[in-house]
Amino acid sequence: MSNTEEKYRLFEEKNKIAELGGGQDRIDKQHAAGRKTARERIDLLFDPGTFVELDKFVTHRATDFDLEKTKFLGDGVVSGYGKIDGRLMYVFAQDFTVFGGSLSRANADKIIKVMDLAMKMGAPVIGLNDSGGARIQEGVESLAGYADIFYRNVMSSGVIPQISAILGPCAGGAVYSPAITDFIMMVKESSYMFVTGPDVIKTVTHEEVTKEELGGAMTHNSKSGVAHLTADDDEQAMMMIRELMSFLPSNNLEDPPFKMSSDDVNREDKKLNDLIPDDPNKPYDMKELILSVIDDKHFFEIMPFFAQNMIIGFARLGGKPVGIVANQPAMLAGVLDIDASTKAARFVRFCDAFNIPLITLEDVPGFLPGTAQEFGGIIKHGAKLLYAFAEATVPKITLITRKAYGGAYDVMSSKHIGADLNFAYPSAEIAVMGSAGAVNIIHRTKLGDQTFIDSAIEDYKNNFASPYKAAQMGYIDEIIYPKDTRKKLIQALEMTQNKSKTNPAKKHGNIPL
Ligand code: HXC
């Protein structure tokens, strides 16, 4: 074997060692737990053959606890760049087979390198998290590594999309970095997020809780609202991230990617004329409306299990990505509560940061009354949604399908807080409150006289429980037939596509956090 051949052989051998991570036994354990390895996940995520790995031969530099005797090439994270649908993306994938994917100074530097490159090149970062957090043996060096990552997460926020998948048991920094990113995907029954695990909780608070109950996918997708998406397995998680990226621009200076559709932009749907029930207290499914008007019924819903009285998600109209924010009358009558407000507010801010027009579909009886909401700070949390809609400078198009009562009328992207086009169906009711409630208050002394009350309710309905008063004032630009919704929304998007609006120069606003 020539000298050169020997060098190539050594190189090949090192590559193979690096690709084995923590070794075959640990890889088998990972597979037995129903999880893929870091490299397998990256292969599923990127277009075939596009992944370029960086820092494959990095090792840790720690010497405490005899750590110098245990080194793995790559040191527990696989990082680099590749393509999704031909577009550049950066990735880091923690390798649980090496020290439980924990963060060392050396592997933090690898993550930082891709984050810095992503900012320079204006491309998204996808973090595939599978890590026990800071590498305990490295102490403050590891904590410093996390803080360096958090800092970059914050600096990148609103500049490039940052997506996190949680694909194993993640603790400490491995959950705080994702928390700063835009979307968190979890895998059912194989991924967990917690700041402190069940054992610590048992010691400190004597509570007994399983890993799944404490920080499983459904806990964070339906109870805490920490996570936004769920997948059945790693493979589906990677496919869903690919789909999510198809709606997003690569950075805040780009428009989101246009995708041609054969769905006719003028398509009518006569069924929509019968969607809104005559009885204002009868629910209907707002998703039927969404699916009917968007391109090819393709709706990518975000947080589908959390605060289901509010629907948020991405779709396309005439090929252009939009963010949809919609009250769901089929759940709690579509009322605005703390969870619905914070869910929608963050989504509105994401769309605004990344030039994604907002379509608001409104049917809301107001804010949810009650001590639980008041003590929980509905004033502050509801204000977040108001703030988010008001500061958003992307095209904002609102359609009132039925109720737009009280403060919720103002909040849900009303004309007054900057919506560009406000539509209403003939069935819209724009008023301070419902007719019965209003009459109960303004005619309190005559409540015994049912005939009077009935006629007062009818009067109120005719005067206020319609879109005409608002249309007279110019607060509603156009009253439309439901069957024409798709065409009207697409026309509105076209009309607003060159919108140029900036808010007053400031360091940043002070959203009521
Ligand atoms: C070093 C770690 C590690 C860590 C796991 N390992 N976490 N090594 N530092 N943080 C190692 C284990 O020793 C083990 O090595 C291997 O990874 C697999 O771990 P297991 O415990 O066998 O796996 P499992 O039972 O699935 O449990 C996973 C786990 C648990 C839930 C993540 O390991 C765990 O609780 N780890 C500690 C979590 C933690 O407290 N991290 C510090 C957070 S503080 P061997 O060689 O035996 O296979 C932090 C600060 C950031 O992150 C700042 C936040 C704001």
Side-chain angles (χ1 to χ4, degrees), residues 26 29 35 96 99-102 131-137 143 146 150 169-174 176 194-195 211:
R26 285 197 166 86
K29 228 173 138 185
R35 301 185 184 114
F96 195 78
F99 296 108
S102 58
S131 160
R135 189 167 299 167
I136 295 164
Q137 299 91 325
L143 295 180
Y146 261 127
F150 300 153
C170 289
Y176 268 108
F194 26 73
V195 176
K211 245 181 359 187

Side-chain angles (χ1 to χ4, degrees), residues 449-512:
D449 183 347
Q450 199 53 46
T451 322
F452 174 84
I453 293 294
D454 287 348
S455 99
I457 288 177
E458 209 43 45
D459 255 15
Y460 189 91
K461 254 190 210 159
N462 292 336
N463 262 316
F464 295 104
S466 81
Y468 298 106
K469 194 91 185 172
Q472 261 174 35
M473 310 296 291
Y475 302 159
I476 293 296
D477 300 293
E478 192 181 357
I479 299 175
I480 62 171
Y481 289 111
K483 68 176 174 56
D484 297 330
T485 310
R486 172 174 165 79
K487 179 177 154 187
K488 291 288 178 185
L489 292 178
I490 291 173
Q491 278 177 340
L493 270 178
E494 273 172 16
M495 188 278 272
T496 54
Q497 77 178 351
N498 291 331
K499 180 177 178 184
S500 156
K501 162 136 187 351
T502 39
N503 291 332
K506 53 182 139 179
K507 191 168 174 190
H508 56 70
N510 190 13
I511 190 165

Side-chain angles (χ1 to χ4, degrees), residues 286-294 299 311 315 324 326 361:
M286 187 65 95
K287 278 192 198 155
E288 272 185 46
L289 172 59
I290 295 171
L291 292 177
S292 156
V293 300
I294 61 180
F299 184 46
I311 304 168
I324 294 182
L361 305 174

Side-chain angles (χ1 to χ4, degrees), residues 238-297:
M238 297 306 110
M239 292 308 113
M240 285 176 76
I241 293 175
R242 288 178 62 88
E243 192 183 349
L244 171 61
M245 298 313 303
S246 76
F247 293 97
L248 313 185
S250 295
N251 59 61
N252 65 334
L253 301 177
E254 281 184 7
D255 282 332
F258 179 88
K259 194 172 172 196
M260 199 68 137
S261 158
S262 55
D263 201 347
D264 182 0
V265 291
N266 293 315
R267 175 171 56 76
E268 283 185 1
D269 186 352
K270 292 208 171 69
K271 281 201 301 297
L272 285 184
N273 280 349
D274 300 319
L275 179 69
I276 318 293
D278 279 342
D279 177 353
N281 297 320
K282 216 169 155 195
Y284 63 94
D285 187 356
M286 187 65 95
K287 278 192 198 155
E288 272 185 46
L289 172 59
I290 295 171
L291 292 177
S292 156
V293 300
I294 61 180
D295 291 359
D296 309 308
K297 296 189 184 298

